[in-house]
Amino acid sequence: MSALGHRARRPDPTPGEREQQVLDRIDKARRRRAKVTDERITLSHGAGGKATQSLVEAIFLDAFRNPRLEPLEDAATLCVGSTRLALTTDSFVVSPLFFPGGDIGDLAVNGTVNDLAVSGATPLYLTAGFILEEGFPVADLERVVASMRAAAETAGVEIVTGDTKVVQRGKADGCYINTAGIGVIDADAPALGVATARPGDAVLVSGPIGEHGVTIMLARGELDIDAELESDTAAVHGMVADLRAAAPGVRAMRDATRGGVATILNEVAKAADVAVVVDEKAVPVKTEVRGASELLGIDPLYVACEGRIVVIVDPAEVAAALAALHRHPLGEQAAVIGRITEDPPGLVLLNTTFGGTRIVDLLVGDPLPRIC
Amino acid sequence: MSALGHRARRPDPTPGEREQQVLDRIDKARRRRAKVTDERITLSHGAGGKATQSLVEAIFLDAFRNPRLEPLEDAATLCVGSTRLALTTDSFVVSPLFFPGGDIGDLAVNGTVNDLAVSGATPLYLTAGFILEEGFPVADLERVVASMRAAAETAGVEIVTGDTKVVQRGKADGCYINTAGIGVIDADAPALGVATARPGDAVLVSGPIGEHGVTIMLARGELDIDAELESDTAAVHGMVADLRAAAPGVRAMRDATRGGVATILNEVAKAADVAVVVDEKAVPVKTEVRGASELLGIDPLYVACEGRIVVIVDPAEVAAALAALHRHPLGEQAAVIGRITEDPPGLVLLNTTFGGTRIVDLLVGDPLPRIC
């Protein structure tokens, strides 16, 4: 039986209260125990956004739970004997395999090198696991392997062990590559992690965002535009080393791949229970990327980079950090794009170029499948 | 102009000379620089036999060449700081995903644990990279992940980092998994490696061979027979530890997966430049495996195991090694199956049950695709 008729009518909420209610609902939804409600895997489970997060938390984290996995950083930090190590893995299923500025081979090396570098490790050794489709041209494999070799040389890492599987025609898409990597962490270096972000910290990006993602979409011919764009795929370990030497107050770094900068910032907000406030005007975006993103109906903040990092740094060291980034060829266009605040905890807010403020949530769906 | 008419006719070779000529030709073919003559990848490139070897040597080894990769052992041995580590990787594309005795999940954990264990390392940490096909049932993923968790617990390892990619329907076969793993190597333990095998050494297997491969073929319904068989998938690290404690004269161990025991023995013969002479009668093979292999027209020596190891041991320690294996549940049916001799270097010879001797060469083609 409804008791509605007996309730005193509440006064209408003020605009401020209404905003708070929205924030509370978002917050509540976020803190809910992750659950995968889909019966089948969808592309969005691989997009790096909300569905990926649910899958990881509800299925993988729940089953494999251990203190090294739980931070869900780009690499796990381990102690083996007296040595501190970082260990990471990534599979690459990018389509097409070859694109302006790179191919699946250098992507596979740089991706793993970068996951190690942003975890504060010096990348050392990589593994390479190939899943090849029957009928894949050997010449293409040779081209991919040559890219891997060149990328490994540039990054100063060695590929020390590997594996090759072949599946029947139609059971893969030419070539998938998994790389895992280990790096060594300086025992005296301060620990890094998005959970250590504090109110007052500055948020930097090392360069213009979204070039990799838009390049892939253009290479697929899915956009009827011509743009002079190349993937930004690069190994960031050198830039990271310079940055950390100049600014020991760096709290966390992430490379902004699948899901883009927006996803990283959401991870920061959630892990540190802080707000991230981004100034849209300050975010470096090339005109071609902005244009293509508009056509795609996607915010460049969600578009993958493969050689850009997001940096959270102590406010006292912003100038030093920015100067160090600017001195490195990969960081010439680095910029401060926002700051960490206390409220509203767990959220990313964007001060738009039009003067408004909106919430930048995790991506729903997958507008850019198989970007890496 | 032919000078044939002027040549003195050579006397017919004796049977012994003829045999030597055959051996010389095989030997010459083997020592030839590896070359991939195919223009496209075939299933045989993933079979673990001749084509895989050519691919690895001509393409991967040639591009990535470094002292840690070159031994082509199951895991690379590395020094990081003061710590000796083993690093390995394997992708799993087994079809079907679920089969009697296991599934792709425990296979992926056990396979990497075993590569570390036979390299003389204590397995510690694993990575897990998933490539999922759009439409893959989430319940199946949960089942696979539960198997991985159970296998990791049994093996005493932690899965500390991972990655998930999703590809469109038709671009994979449900679920592919890559695992990479690191283990620590006791600095005082003698180095292991198939290249250290010496004439006089004994060759052991830890149990009946070929059960995994035949189980998979039966699970695919490709053989019209009923047999009570289960995959032998298991983590061998405990058995390996017991074995090494009892017999420090163990020179090398390998887990006999793709390509089976025959492939391992060829690797021993080639790496150590020795002959391996196997006594067919001594090789433990279950009746069901022998029967199915006959139907398939394949020697059980080439059929994959996922929980059996081949051991090369100093002759003085054969009894101790065998006793240690017999005491372990996974090694109850361990047997000495052959010995290392000086001649003919690089070859594996089988003394057959019928009293003859034949060469057991590397596998050509792939009679058992996607076995792991």
Side-chain angles (χ1 to χ4, degrees), chain A residues 64-85:
Chain A
F64 302 147
R65 195 171 292 281
N66 63 65
R68 281 147 291 277
L69 175 63
E70 238 149 316
L72 293 176
E73 286 286 347
D74 281 344
T77 304
L78 315 168
C79 280
V80 180
S82 56
T83 308
R84 266 177 81 195
L85 293 174

PDB file of all heavy atoms in Angstrom, chain A residues 64-85:
ATOM      1  N   PHE A  64      41.581 -12.938  -8.933  1.00  0.00           N
ATOM      2  CA  PHE A  64      43.045 -12.992  -8.757  1.00  0.00           C
ATOM      3  C   PHE A  64      43.526 -12.154  -7.579  1.00  0.00           C
ATOM      4  O   PHE A  64      44.732 -12.053  -7.352  1.00  0.00           O
ATOM      5  CB  PHE A  64      43.750 -12.500 -10.028  1.00  0.00           C
ATOM      6  CG  PHE A  64      43.404 -13.279 -11.279  1.00  0.00           C
ATOM      7  CD1 PHE A  64      43.354 -12.657 -12.511  1.00  0.00           C
ATOM      8  CD2 PHE A  64      43.136 -14.639 -11.222  1.00  0.00           C
ATOM      9  CE1 PHE A  64      43.049 -13.362 -13.671  1.00  0.00           C
ATOM     10  CE2 PHE A  64      42.831 -15.358 -12.368  1.00  0.00           C
ATOM     11  CZ  PHE A  64      42.784 -14.720 -13.597  1.00  0.00           C
ATOM     12  N   ARG A  65      42.616 -11.560  -6.850  1.00  0.00           N
ATOM     13  CA  ARG A  65      42.939 -10.554  -5.826  1.00  0.00           C
ATOM     14  C   ARG A  65      44.246 -10.817  -5.076  1.00  0.00           C
ATOM     15  O   ARG A  65      44.460 -11.869  -4.498  1.00  0.00           O
ATOM     16  CB  ARG A  65      41.786 -10.478  -4.823  1.00  0.00           C
ATOM     17  CG  ARG A  65      41.799  -9.258  -3.916  1.00  0.00           C
ATOM     18  CD  ARG A  65      40.506  -9.164  -3.117  1.00  0.00           C
ATOM     19  NE  ARG A  65      39.337  -8.876  -3.950  1.00  0.00           N
ATOM     20  CZ  ARG A  65      39.026  -7.661  -4.406  1.00  0.00           C
ATOM     21  NH1 ARG A  65      39.794  -6.625  -4.120  1.00  0.00           N
ATOM     22  NH2 ARG A  65      37.952  -7.487  -5.145  1.00  0.00           N
ATOM     23  N   ASN A  66      45.151  -9.840  -5.105  1.00  0.00           N
ATOM     24  CA  ASN A  66      46.375  -9.873  -4.313  1.00  0.00           C
ATOM     25  C   ASN A  66      46.899  -8.436  -4.257  1.00  0.00           C
ATOM     26  O   ASN A  66      46.530  -7.601  -5.087  1.00  0.00           O
ATOM     27  CB  ASN A  66      47.407 -10.861  -4.899  1.00  0.00           C
ATOM     28  CG  ASN A  66      47.857 -10.471  -6.287  1.00  0.00           C
ATOM     29  OD1 ASN A  66      48.485  -9.429  -6.477  1.00  0.00           O
ATOM     30  ND2 ASN A  66      47.525 -11.300  -7.274  1.00  0.00           N
ATOM     31  N   PRO A  67      47.751  -8.150  -3.256  1.00  0.00           N
ATOM     32  CA  PRO A  67      48.134  -6.746  -3.038  1.00  0.00           C
ATOM     33  C   PRO A  67      48.897  -6.132  -4.208  1.00  0.00           C
ATOM     34  O   PRO A  67      48.940  -4.911  -4.344  1.00  0.00           O
ATOM     35  CB  PRO A  67      49.034  -6.813  -1.792  1.00  0.00           C
ATOM     36  CG  PRO A  67      48.850  -8.169  -1.212  1.00  0.00           C
ATOM     37  CD  PRO A  67      48.322  -9.065  -2.270  1.00  0.00           C
ATOM     38  N   ARG A  68      49.492  -6.970  -5.052  1.00  0.00           N
ATOM     39  CA  ARG A  68      50.264  -6.423  -6.173  1.00  0.00           C
ATOM     40  C   ARG A  68      49.368  -6.064  -7.358  1.00  0.00           C
ATOM     41  O   ARG A  68      49.626  -5.142  -8.115  1.00  0.00           O
ATOM     42  CB  ARG A  68      51.361  -7.404  -6.598  1.00  0.00           C
ATOM     43  CG  ARG A  68      52.571  -7.346  -5.665  1.00  0.00           C
ATOM     44  CD  ARG A  68      53.254  -8.687  -5.502  1.00  0.00           C
ATOM     45  NE  ARG A  68      52.431  -9.617  -4.768  1.00  0.00           N
ATOM     46  CZ  ARG A  68      52.352  -9.677  -3.435  1.00  0.00           C
ATOM     47  NH1 ARG A  68      53.087  -8.880  -2.708  1.00  0.00           N
ATOM     48  NH2 ARG A  68      51.550 -10.537  -2.842  1.00  0.00           N
ATOM     49  N   LEU A  69      48.274  -6.819  -7.483  1.00  0.00           N
ATOM     50  CA  LEU A  69      47.336  -6.552  -8.576  1.00  0.00           C
ATOM     51  C   LEU A  69      46.404  -5.386  -8.246  1.00  0.00           C
ATOM     52  O   LEU A  69      46.052  -4.581  -9.107  1.00  0.00           O
ATOM     53  CB  LEU A  69      46.498  -7.823  -8.834  1.00  0.00           C
ATOM     54  CG  LEU A  69      45.374  -7.740  -9.863  1.00  0.00           C
ATOM     55  CD1 LEU A  69      45.919  -7.439 -11.249  1.00  0.00           C
ATOM     56  CD2 LEU A  69      44.582  -9.052  -9.897  1.00  0.00           C
ATOM     57  N   GLU A  70      46.030  -5.297  -6.964  1.00  0.00           N
ATOM     58  CA  GLU A  70      44.938  -4.417  -6.562  1.00  0.00           C
ATOM     59  C   GLU A  70      45.079  -2.940  -6.944  1.00  0.00           C
ATOM     60  O   GLU A  70      44.089  -2.318  -7.315  1.00  0.00           O
ATOM     61  CB  GLU A  70      44.677  -4.556  -5.063  1.00  0.00           C
ATOM     62  CG  GLU A  70      43.254  -4.971  -4.807  1.00  0.00           C
ATOM     63  CD  GLU A  70      43.124  -5.811  -3.546  1.00  0.00           C
ATOM     64  OE1 GLU A  70      43.953  -6.713  -3.318  1.00  0.00           O
ATOM     65  OE2 GLU A  70      42.207  -5.529  -2.798  1.00  0.00           O
ATOM     66  N   PRO A  71      46.283  -2.364  -6.898  1.00  0.00           N
ATOM     67  CA  PRO A  71      46.340  -0.945  -7.279  1.00  0.00           C
ATOM     68  C   PRO A  71      45.928  -0.716  -8.733  1.00  0.00           C
ATOM     69  O   PRO A  71      45.638   0.416  -9.120  1.00  0.00           O
ATOM     70  CB  PRO A  71      47.817  -0.586  -7.067  1.00  0.00           C
ATOM     71  CG  PRO A  71      48.375  -1.632  -6.175  1.00  0.00           C
ATOM     72  CD  PRO A  71      47.590  -2.872  -6.454  1.00  0.00           C
ATOM     73  N   LEU A  72      45.893  -1.774  -9.561  1.00  0.00           N
ATOM     74  CA  LEU A  72      45.528  -1.658 -10.977  1.00  0.00           C
ATOM     75  C   LEU A  72      46.319  -0.551 -11.674  1.00  0.00           C
ATOM     76  O   LEU A  72      45.779   0.204 -12.474  1.00  0.00           O
ATOM     77  CB  LEU A  72      44.012  -1.426 -11.126  1.00  0.00           C
ATOM     78  CG  LEU A  72      43.111  -2.599 -10.703  1.00  0.00           C
ATOM     79  CD1 LEU A  72      41.642  -2.210 -10.817  1.00  0.00           C
ATOM     80  CD2 LEU A  72      43.391  -3.856 -11.531  1.00  0.00           C
ATOM     81  N   GLU A  73      47.599  -0.440 -11.349  1.00  0.00           N
ATOM     82  CA  GLU A  73      48.468   0.508 -12.045  1.00  0.00           C
ATOM     83  C   GLU A  73      48.862  -0.098 -13.397  1.00  0.00           C
ATOM     84  O   GLU A  73      48.529  -1.242 -13.692  1.00  0.00           O
ATOM     85  CB  GLU A  73      49.719   0.802 -11.193  1.00  0.00           C
ATOM     86  CG  GLU A  73      49.455   1.694  -9.987  1.00  0.00           C
ATOM     87  CD  GLU A  73      49.236   3.168 -10.352  1.00  0.00           C
ATOM     88  OE1 GLU A  73      49.534   3.553 -11.500  1.00  0.00           O
ATOM     89  OE2 GLU A  73      48.742   3.932  -9.494  1.00  0.00           O
ATOM     90  N   ASP A  74      49.587   0.681 -14.205  1.00  0.00           N
ATOM     91  CA  ASP A  74      49.980   0.193 -15.527  1.00  0.00           C
ATOM     92  C   ASP A  74      50.944  -0.992 -15.440  1.00  0.00           C
ATOM     93  O   ASP A  74      51.039  -1.790 -16.361  1.00  0.00           O
ATOM     94  CB  ASP A  74      50.631   1.321 -16.336  1.00  0.00           C
ATOM     95  CG  ASP A  74      49.567   2.253 -16.910  1.00  0.00           C
ATOM     96  OD1 ASP A  74      48.390   1.860 -16.944  1.00  0.00           O
ATOM     97  OD2 ASP A  74      49.910   3.365 -17.328  1.00  0.00           O
ATOM     98  N   ALA A  75      51.662  -1.077 -14.342  1.00  0.00           N
ATOM     99  CA  ALA A  75      52.546  -2.219 -14.115  1.00  0.00           C
ATOM    100  C   ALA A  75      52.440  -2.593 -12.643  1.00  0.00           C
ATOM    101  O   ALA A  75      52.156  -1.747 -11.801  1.00  0.00           O
ATOM    102  CB  ALA A  75      53.993  -1.853 -14.466  1.00  0.00           C
ATOM    103  N   ALA A  76      52.660  -3.871 -12.344  1.00  0.00           N
ATOM    104  CA  ALA A  76      52.684  -4.300 -10.949  1.00  0.00           C
ATOM    105  C   ALA A  76      54.087  -4.088 -10.399  1.00  0.00           C
ATOM    106  O   ALA A  76      55.075  -4.248 -11.115  1.00  0.00           O
ATOM    107  CB  ALA A  76      52.307  -5.771 -10.850  1.00  0.00           C
ATOM    108  N   THR A  77      54.176  -3.701  -9.142  1.00  0.00           N
ATOM    109  CA  THR A  77      55.479  -3.528  -8.503  1.00  0.00           C
ATOM    110  C   THR A  77      55.748  -4.717  -7.591  1.00  0.00           C
ATOM    111  O   THR A  77      54.902  -5.086  -6.782  1.00  0.00           O
ATOM    112  CB  THR A  77      55.495  -2.223  -7.687  1.00  0.00           C
ATOM    113  OG1 THR A  77      55.149  -1.158  -8.560  1.00  0.00           O
ATOM    114  CG2 THR A  77      56.864  -1.969  -7.095  1.00  0.00           C
ATOM    115  N   LEU A  78      56.920  -5.324  -7.761  1.00  0.00           N
ATOM    116  CA  LEU A  78      57.239  -6.582  -7.082  1.00  0.00           C
ATOM    117  C   LEU A  78      58.594  -6.482  -6.414  1.00  0.00           C
ATOM    118  O   LEU A  78      59.462  -5.743  -6.872  1.00  0.00           O
ATOM    119  CB  LEU A  78      57.323  -7.713  -8.113  1.00  0.00           C
ATOM    120  CG  LEU A  78      56.225  -7.779  -9.166  1.00  0.00           C
ATOM    121  CD1 LEU A  78      56.615  -8.745 -10.263  1.00  0.00           C
ATOM    122  CD2 LEU A  78      54.915  -8.180  -8.526  1.00  0.00           C
ATOM    123  N   CYS A  79      58.782  -7.248  -5.360  1.00  0.00           N
ATOM    124  CA  CYS A  79      60.119  -7.393  -4.799  1.00  0.00           C
ATOM    125  C   CYS A  79      60.567  -8.825  -5.030  1.00  0.00           C
ATOM    126  O   CYS A  79      59.882  -9.765  -4.619  1.00  0.00           O
ATOM    127  CB  CYS A  79      60.123  -7.083  -3.306  1.00  0.00           C
ATOM    128  SG  CYS A  79      60.137  -5.314  -3.018  1.00  0.00           S
ATOM    129  N   VAL A  80      61.675  -8.990  -5.711  1.00  0.00           N
ATOM    130  CA  VAL A  80      62.238 -10.329  -5.923  1.00  0.00           C
ATOM    131  C   VAL A  80      63.654 -10.278  -5.382  1.00  0.00           C
ATOM    132  O   VAL A  80      64.492  -9.529  -5.892  1.00  0.00           O
ATOM    133  CB  VAL A  80      62.225 -10.729  -7.413  1.00  0.00           C
ATOM    134  CG1 VAL A  80      62.809 -12.119  -7.579  1.00  0.00           C
ATOM    135  CG2 VAL A  80      60.815 -10.684  -7.981  1.00  0.00           C
ATOM    136  N   GLY A  81      63.898 -11.084  -4.350  1.00  0.00           N
ATOM    137  CA  GLY A  81      65.188 -10.977  -3.669  1.00  0.00           C
ATOM    138  C   GLY A  81      65.297  -9.546  -3.156  1.00  0.00           C
ATOM    139  O   GLY A  81      64.354  -8.997  -2.573  1.00  0.00           O
ATOM    140  N   SER A  82      66.410  -8.907  -3.447  1.00  0.00           N
ATOM    141  CA  SER A  82      66.601  -7.533  -2.974  1.00  0.00           C
ATOM    142  C   SER A  82      66.257  -6.532  -4.074  1.00  0.00           C
ATOM    143  O   SER A  82      66.537  -5.346  -3.947  1.00  0.00           O
ATOM    144  CB  SER A  82      68.063  -7.366  -2.556  1.00  0.00           C
ATOM    145  OG  SER A  82      68.888  -7.723  -3.652  1.00  0.00           O
ATOM    146  N   THR A  83      65.637  -7.003  -5.141  1.00  0.00           N
ATOM    147  CA  THR A  83      65.412  -6.143  -6.300  1.00  0.00           C
ATOM    148  C   THR A  83      63.945  -5.745  -6.418  1.00  0.00           C
ATOM    149  O   THR A  83      63.065  -6.595  -6.277  1.00  0.00           O
ATOM    150  CB  THR A  83      65.857  -6.884  -7.577  1.00  0.00           C
ATOM    151  OG1 THR A  83      67.196  -7.355  -7.389  1.00  0.00           O
ATOM    152  CG2 THR A  83      65.809  -5.981  -8.792  1.00  0.00           C
ATOM    153  N   ARG A  84      63.702  -4.444  -6.655  1.00  0.00           N
ATOM    154  CA  ARG A  84      62.333  -3.987  -6.911  1.00  0.00           C
ATOM    155  C   ARG A  84      62.094  -3.975  -8.414  1.00  0.00           C
ATOM    156  O   ARG A  84      62.832  -3.341  -9.162  1.00  0.00           O
ATOM    157  CB  ARG A  84      62.111  -2.574  -6.355  1.00  0.00           C
ATOM    158  CG  ARG A  84      61.531  -2.581  -4.951  1.00  0.00           C
ATOM    159  CD  ARG A  84      61.393  -1.177  -4.415  1.00  0.00           C
ATOM    160  NE  ARG A  84      60.205  -0.495  -4.894  1.00  0.00           N
ATOM    161  CZ  ARG A  84      60.004   0.827  -4.793  1.00  0.00           C
ATOM    162  NH1 ARG A  84      60.935   1.589  -4.264  1.00  0.00           N
ATOM    163  NH2 ARG A  84      58.892   1.378  -5.238  1.00  0.00           N
ATOM    164  N   LEU A  85      61.060  -4.671  -8.826  1.00  0.00           N
ATOM    165  CA  LEU A  85      60.775  -4.823 -10.254  1.00  0.00           C
ATOM    166  C   LEU A  85      59.391  -4.300 -10.578  1.00  0.00           C
ATOM    167  O   LEU A  85      58.497  -4.275  -9.738  1.00  0.00           O
ATOM    168  CB  LEU A  85      60.791  -6.305 -10.631  1.00  0.00           C
ATOM    169  CG  LEU A  85      62.103  -7.053 -10.556  1.00  0.00           C
ATOM    170  CD1 LEU A  85      61.856  -8.523 -10.833  1.00  0.00           C
ATOM    171  CD2 LEU A  85      63.090  -6.484 -11.563  1.00  0.00           C
TER     172      LEU A  85
END
